[in-house]
Amino acid sequence: MKGLQGKTAIVTGGASGIGQAIAIRLAEEGVNVAINYVGRPDGALATKEAIEGEVDACLCAMRDTGTRPLLVEADVSNEDDVTRMFKQVVGEYGHLDFLVNNAGIQIASPSETLTAADFDRVLNVNLRGSFLCARAALRHLVEESRPGAIVNVSSVHQEIPKPGFLGYSVSKGGMQNLTRSLALEYAGRGIRVNAVAPGATITPINRAWVDEPEKRAMVESHIPMGRAGTAEEMAAVAAFLFSDEAAYVTGQTIYVDGGLTLFADFRTTWSSE
Ligand code: NAP
């Protein structure tokens, strides 16, 4: 894709699932990717090895551009960690062009028994973490007078309520205005802010149904296209949003959901019968 080669990016939560796929896809497009992880580095190492394996496996231009993945440890909800992470990445790469706010968690609980600590935990990672990372990226871009782009990994639950997952629902609802407000604030400086909103996607966050055929069939029966999405399908749209093909796109959320936000119950005209 146009405009990606030689750029640099941080992908939060890049050690698994959608973040890992985005990190690999951006690297395939010639981007130097800093893979953020929290806790044990095993998953992040796997992402790095996958990227380096790609370089060896295909004689693509990324080898010529010297694509160099980095591992960066940080809890995105922790302000000091985020400051240190950006300093480290800018120190290594010299500058930063892109940020993917992907790190996210969810906690299930009936809302009447949801603890304030669990509500805060989800908001802290999903929303405060995205704000802290966006702020650090924007500071750098503004100081350097550089154009750049941010892609937030939101969710269909930005739009569709998710009972029993109140913190998650609220955090993704908030992400919509994080995306739109920052897009408007920085549009005049050449900094674009967009979001990818996945539907049900095969990743570790969905371990409750991914490997259980009956549960998975139940989940997929709700999706108009009849199947869950893959992390690679999310990554392709994220790469597009960073690329020059999307040079005039800002403040938008692209739903990558197999039609989940199309009110699947209206596949038949039951309301008019
Ligand atoms: P995942 O594999 O569980 O990925 C989430 C990543 O975030 C993990 O690598 C996790 O690291 C990391 N993370 C958690 N807390 C963090 C923190 N405090 N600081 C830094 N990283 C942290 O699940 P996924 O499905 O790929 O989720 C990625 C994003 O997609 C999330 O924002 C999620 O809400 C969104 N999404 C997913 C789906 C879906 O169906 N899969 C649908 C809609 C939206 P650890 O594993 O080390 O905790």
Side-chain angles (χ1 to χ4, degrees):
M1 285 185 201
K2 285 185 197 160
L4 295 180
Q5 282 242 334
K7 296 283 173 42
T8 60
I10 292 180
V11 180
T12 69
S16 64
I18 293 169
Q20 182 172 61
I22 293 174
I24 293 170
R25 178 61 195 261
L26 288 179
E28 284 171 357
E29 299 285 348
V31 178
N32 291 300
V33 183
I35 305 150
N36 159 253
Y37 68 97
V38 63
R40 293 180 338 130
D42 315 18
L45 265 171
T47 310
K48 185 168 181 276
E49 281 165 13
I51 290 172
E52 288 167 344
E54 284 291 333
V55 178
D56 288 343
C58 68
L59 283 173
C60 50
M62 50 187 288
R63 194 189 332 224
D64 302 332
T65 60
T67 298
R68 190 162 57 95
L70 276 183
L71 298 190
V72 279
E73 197 276 331
D75 174 348
V76 295
S77 66
N78 180 302
E79 194 168 9
D80 292 339
D81 275 18
V82 170
T83 304
R84 181 181 39 74
M85 171 169 75
F86 276 78
K87 203 172 162 204
Q88 184 185 342
V89 172
V90 171
E92 294 272 355
Y93 288 151
H95 70 273
L96 184 73
D97 301 293
F98 303 148
L99 165 69
V100 183
N101 271 320
N102 165 78
I105 58 171
Q106 58 181 7
I107 296 176
S109 169
S111 296
E112 77 274 15
T113 55
L114 177 64
T115 65
D118 280 351
F119 181 82
D120 287 349
R121 221 176 113 210
V122 175
L123 268 288
N124 281 341
V125 175
N126 298 10
L127 198 51
R128 177 182 151 91
S130 298
F131 153 66
L132 290 174
C133 291
R135 187 182 64 176
L138 290 164
R139 270 184 191 159
H140 170 72
L141 294 171
V142 168
E143 270 168 23
E144 303 272 316
S145 298
R146 291 183 76 85
I150 296 173
V151 170
N152 295 321
V153 180
S154 184
S155 166
V156 289
H157 297 296
Q158 171 174 306
E159 176 72 22
I160 305 173
K162 192 172 188 188
F165 290 81
L166 189 66
Y168 189 79
S169 232
V170 169
S171 73
K172 296 302 185 180
M175 200 166 231
Q176 179 171 33
N177 261 343
L178 184 78
T179 302
R180 286 163 56 83
S181 297
L182 291 178
L184 186 55
E185 193 170 345
Y186 292 93
R189 295 176 188 258
I191 301 169
R192 298 182 299 105
V193 185
N194 290 292
V196 173
T201 309
I202 301 160
T203 72
I205 214 172
N206 288 324
R207 53 186 74 80
W209 56 264
V210 161
D211 294 324
E212 297 210 23
E214 271 180 34
K215 284 188 187 167
R216 181 162 168 172
M218 186 280 294
V219 169
E220 292 185 327
S221 73
H222 292 283
I223 303 169
M225 286 183 73
R227 66 171 179 85
T230 65
E232 290 72 23
E233 286 170 321
M234 309 305 142
V237 177
F240 161 73
L241 286 171
F242 281 119
S243 78
D244 286 352
E245 313 288 355
Y248 204 49
V249 180
T250 197
Q252 303 305 308
T253 296
I254 300 189
Y255 289 89
V256 190
D257 66 356
L260 205 54
T261 40
L262 296 175
F263 298 94
D265 277 357
F266 283 81
R267 273 180 280 197
T268 58
T269 53
W270 56 269
S271 60
S272 306
E273 282 159 8

